[in-house]
Every structure is written in structure tokens, then in C-alpha cells.
Amino acid sequence: MNFATIAELAARCEEAGQTISAYMLAQQSLESGRSPAQERQQMAAYYDIMKEAVRRGITTDTTSRSGLTGGDARRVMAMLDGSGGDTSAGSHATRAMAYALAVSEVNASMGRIVATPTAGSCGILPGVLVSSQERYGWPDDRMVDGLFCAGALGYVIANNAFISGAEGGCQAEVGSAIAMAAGALVELRGGTPMQCAHAVGLALKNTLGLVCDPVAGLVEVPCIVRNGMGAVNALAAADLALAGVRSAIPADEVVGAMRDIGAAMPETLRETGKGGLAATPTGQRIAEALFGEERP
Amino acid sequence: MRFKDVFSIIGPAMIGPSSSHTAGAARLGRIARQLLAEPPVRADITFYGSFADTYRGHGTDLAVVGGLLGYDTDDDRITDAFAHAKDEGLEIAIGRGSMAAIHPNTVTIRLSGTGGTMEMTGCSIGGGNVAVAAVNGFSVSFSGVSPTLVIQHTDRPGTIAAIATALEHGGINIATMTVDRKGRNGEAMSVLETDQPAGEDVLARLREWPAVLDIRIVYLAGETPKEGRA
Ligand code: SF4
């Protein structure tokens, strides 16, 4: 890949008069030695898995093995359908949220998903993309573009900071996914590469400091709900960027801040299931009930 | 770059619930199996850091064992990996280690087969991506995403040149190469990540070289996007 920062990526795209997705696809093809068509095919297969996970999550029982979670996507869909779309966040945001919950619940119940960028944050991109596809009537091919754009942005974040909760807290997982989804949506809606960059900066700023504190160490509480609300945040960040709002701190510097904050996070707040929500009385009770003596 | 391409960010396709604690763990198990180069009959798995704290909740133990049985990240047999291990005569011991881990998600896997033993330490670095850090006491660094040759040899002059020549003859391009040795004229391990898998001809050529003691091939193909599989 011949870009290491968001600024570099956006500048190269603007120079070449290309979208981030087209640029990423060309770079990926160079890196792998496979044709762009083959690379697109791979991404399309992933998109199919995402759509199937959305479908499963809103139509089947997603009770997790622990019994802690499941069924929230269906609850939200029932409200959406029952209210004729008149939800507090508006029907589009509510649908994105339901779809994100759906995929996260499928993940928690050991179903098949695509890590985007991780399994903990696997609901956000499908939530935003699948709901937007239905809303705007975009073909699958266009959604594949969206995934390449999201992948390019995530690639920079991952290499300059981290994308795992164990290394950098939830800001690294859910935060990165929101930033990737926001940037992708900006491109799909006709925004410029610079606007995509601002979307990343704006989105990531809003999740800085978010800790990773899964109850009983399970990717369920708070992960699933963070995916649902993360999808809504991504829509909001895309709107900000498309409206011309700029991230006063450039995206790359926000990524740098995320890295520094993650490095400063105590281990208890980095996926050890020992701090934050996991350490609350209820969190500990749940862990105790599930794993009893065997839990640390 | 720790993350090499777009599919290290979008992907892998996997059975939940955690890319680092489930998918990455399955890949580390699979790499260990490839390093042993035969079906393991006994596995001692030691978890460190976040792995040690949360492996049960994430099914990290199931995933490592699934990997040891050769399963891909999206293979739903992972959910019953212990039962399958029993069927295949693989005995498993799982423990938690307390040494300062090199990474929050670290596992050490000791395997024995009918022909030999192998010890590997690896880390799951996020999004299902992994980094192997040690093999049989040698420091290494590879991910298994590219075809990888793990060559144990005596530290004799000309060995590295011979390895490079053998690969060149086979038309194999070397992407990265690292060497670690246990002391002057002692044993060494060279790890080569290549752009193409090395064929039998290349391996035969390498084995001819007297300093080469052993060659293992690691390649996660079949579960990685690079192979065009979902
Ligand atoms: S809380 Fe931790 S495990 Fe859950 S989504 Fe966030 S980073 Fe992942």
C-alpha cells in the first residue's frame, strides 16, 4: 500500500480524481497480484455474509450460549414496524441500529459474521450499509465499493493505532468501525475523499476514551448495544461531514490521540473483563453465575 | 505494517464471538498444527494476559483446539471442538500462565505427535490477525497469511545464500526473511515469507543442503481472503 495516513490517502485520491474505494481496490490488487475483479468478488462474498447475518438477526432466535443476550434486534424491528417508522431517532437511524444489533447478536450466538474490523464491532458496517442500500436502492456492486472505502480507512487506523479492545479499548474496535462506516457512507453519498477524512476524524473523536469492559469477558454486554448505537453515530458523522463540517483536529491526529489514550488505559479496561461494567456488582454477579469458581 | 491489506480489516469470515479471541485463536492453533506437520496427539495450551482472563467466555479454548484440528475460522465445528478432539485422539491440557506476556492476547502451544514435538508462542493482534513470536525457542515474526517457510538449520556460512538460491531457482519471490540463532555455530531458524508457495522441487533442493535440519511450511490459505474464499 502506498499510503500510511488518512491525509495521504485523501490527497492521492483527490490528485487522481478517484474515490477512496477505487484507489484502495487498485492498491489491493497490486499488493495481492490478483485482478481487481477477483478482489471485488471476495468483497462481494463478504457482503453476502453480512446481509445474511442481518436477515438472521432480525428473523431468528439469537439467544446467546450464555443466555445473556439475544432478541434485541427483533424488539427494535417490532417497534419500527409497529410505529409506522415514527421512532425517536427516525426510521432510517432506527433501522440501521436494528440491523447492527442483529449482526452483533448473530456473532454473540456463535453465528457466521465478517470481522469489520473485529467481531466485537461486526454490526456497525452492515448496519449502516445494508440499511442504506435498502433506503437508496443501491446495487450490491456499489456496496462493495463502500467496503473497500471502509477497509482503506480501517487499514490506516489499524497500522497507526490498533483495532483490538485488548490493545486499545473499545475506542479501537467500535470507534474504528464507526469511523470506517461514516467514511464509507460519505463516499457512497457522493462526498469527496477529504469529506471522508473529516468523517473519520469527527466519528473517532466521539468515541475517544471508550473502554473495553465486557461483562464476564463475553462479547455481549455492552458490545451489542454499542454496535447498535454506533451505527446511528456513523450516520450522524456522515451527515456532519457531508454538510461541510470539518474535524478541527485532523483525522490522523485523532488516530494518534486514540493510540496514546489506549496505551494509557489500564489493563483492567482492555478486554480482561475486570474493570468498568464487568466490575459492577451486577457484572460480577453475572460472571459468577456463568462461570462460578472457574472465573478469575 | 502490522496489517497488510484491505482483507486484514474487512474479514475474516468467522464464527463468533471474538475476532481476536476466537478467529485469531483458531488461526494460531492451525499454524501450530502446520508447524508440527502431523496430527497432534497431545496439546498443552497456556493462555496469557486477556486470553487467560477471558478464554472461556470467548471460546478461545475451543477455537485453538479447532485450529489444532485444522479448522478454518468460519468452520462451525469449532463450537464442538473438544468433542471432535476426543474423537480424533487429541489429548488437551489447558492452563493459565502468569509471566509478563509480550502482548495481551498471547498463547503458548506445546504439541506432540507420533514423530516429534513443537512449541510455539503466538499473539492475536486484532481483527483475526495473528503474529507468531517464537518457535522451538527461536524468536520469529510471521503471520501465516503468505506462504511461509520455517527452516531450522545449523549456523554455517553460506546457508542463507543457499536458501535464497534454491528459492530463486524455483521462481519464488521472498517478501520477508528473518534469522534467529542460538549462538555462533549453533542452531538457527530462518523464516521466509514468500509471494508464491514453494513447490516440492524447491523443498527437495533445500533439504539437500547439509546444514538444513528441518523445514516446516505454514500457510493459512483456504481460510484467508487471499485464497478467494468467504
Ligand atoms: S467492549 Fe470490548 S469486546 Fe466489547 S465491542 Fe468493545 S472492544 Fe469489543
Side-chain angles (χ1 to χ4, degrees), chain B residues 172-194:
Chain B
I172 309 290
N173 193 45
I174 301 172
T176 70
M177 173 160 184
T178 55
V179 185
D180 188 35
R181 62 177 195 178
K182 285 187 173 159
R184 206 179 274 256
N185 296 321
E187 269 190 34
M189 180 171 280
S190 291
V191 176
L192 298 95
E193 295 183 293
T194 60

Side-chain angles (χ1 to χ4, degrees), chain B residues 28-43 68 90 109-120 135-136 150 214-218:
Chain B
L28 287 167
R30 192 139 174 263
I31 290 174
R33 181 187 175 102
Q34 294 180 346
L35 284 169
L36 183 68
E38 62 172 309
V41 296
R42 159 112 199 153
L68 291 175
L90 168 58
I109 304 172
R110 281 176 210 86
L111 290 184
S112 31
T114 43
T117 62
M118 188 284 311
E119 176 174 323
M120 175 195 109
V135 174
N136 293 341
V150 179
D214 196 21
I215 305 172
R216 300 289 151 99
I217 298 163
V218 172

Side-chain angles (χ1 to χ4, degrees), chain A residues 162-211:
Chain A
F162 18 56
I163 51 168
S164 77
E167 287 177 289
C170 200
Q171 54 169 5
E173 288 198 10
V174 159
S176 299
I178 296 171
M180 289 159 58
L185 186 57
V186 167
E187 176 178 314
L188 289 171
R189 296 199 60 201
T192 64
M194 256 335 277
Q195 286 176 317
C196 293
H198 284 298
V200 168
L202 292 163
L204 220 48
K205 282 194 287 192
N206 198 45
T207 46
L208 284 183
L210 192 62
V211 301

Side-chain angles (χ1 to χ4, degrees), chain A residues 28 34 39 42 46 65 107 110-113 115 117-119 155 158-159 166-167 217-219 271-272 274 294-295, chain B residues 2-3 5-7 9-14 16-17 19 21 50 53 56-58 74 96 125 127 225-226 228-229:
Chain A
Q28 172 69 23
R34 304 199 310 169
E39 300 292 354
Q42 174 61 52
Y46 280 171
R65 299 229 287 177
N107 177 60
M110 289 193 100
R112 187 174 280 109
I113 55 92
T118 63
Y155 168 82
N159 280 313
E167 287 177 289
L218 300 168
V219 190
E271 208 166 354
T272 49
K274 287 178 175 168
E294 287 185 72
R295 296 299 304 169
Chain B
R2 290 201 303 161
F3 299 87
D5 72 344
V6 76
F7 292 118
I9 306 300
I10 307 294
M14 56 168 281
S19 46
H21 291 61
S50 167
D53 292 328
R56 287 193 56 113
H58 286 126
D74 66 343
R96 291 195 187 97
I125 62 172
K226 283 190 187 298
R229 273 209 40 195

Side-chain angles (χ1 to χ4, degrees), chain A residues 19-191:
Chain A
T19 57
I20 291 178
S21 59
Y23 194 78
M24 180 75 240
L25 177 60
Q27 287 288 312
Q28 172 69 23
S29 170
L30 271 180
E31 171 78 26
S32 68
R34 304 199 310 169
S35 71
Q38 283 173 307
E39 300 292 354
R40 291 191 70 92
Q41 213 178 0
Q42 174 61 52
M43 201 61 101
Y46 280 171
Y47 192 62
D48 284 341
I49 296 175
M50 293 181 205
K51 282 196 295 188
E52 171 58 17
V54 168
R55 194 198 61 75
R56 273 190 61 187
I58 58 176
T59 56
T60 66
D61 182 5
T62 52
T63 304
S64 65
R65 299 229 287 177
S66 69
L68 256 190
T69 54
D72 287 345
R74 286 204 284 177
R75 281 183 193 95
V76 175
M77 284 307 289
M79 182 187 68
L80 183 62
D81 294 339
S83 66
D86 186 22
T87 58
S88 307
S91 66
H92 297 304
T94 301
R95 185 173 297 274
M97 179 164 73
Y99 287 6
L101 291 171
V103 176
S104 284
E105 287 179 329
V106 165
N107 177 60
S109 53
M110 289 193 100
R112 187 174 280 109
I113 55 92
V114 180
T116 54
T118 63
S121 57
C122 69
I124 293 162
L125 263 171
V128 168
L129 293 183
V130 177
S131 66
S132 296
Q133 176 175 33
E134 291 175 8
R135 177 178 180 181
Y136 298 110
W138 291 329
D140 278 1
D141 222 35
R142 181 117 179 232
M143 309 320 294
V144 168
D145 288 341
L147 287 173
F148 275 103
C149 176
L153 300 169
Y155 168 82
V156 173
I157 297 171
N159 280 313
N160 290 295
F162 18 56
I163 51 168
S164 77
E167 287 177 289
C170 200
Q171 54 169 5
E173 288 198 10
V174 159
S176 299
I178 296 171
M180 289 159 58
L185 186 57
V186 167
E187 176 178 314
L188 289 171
R189 296 199 60 201

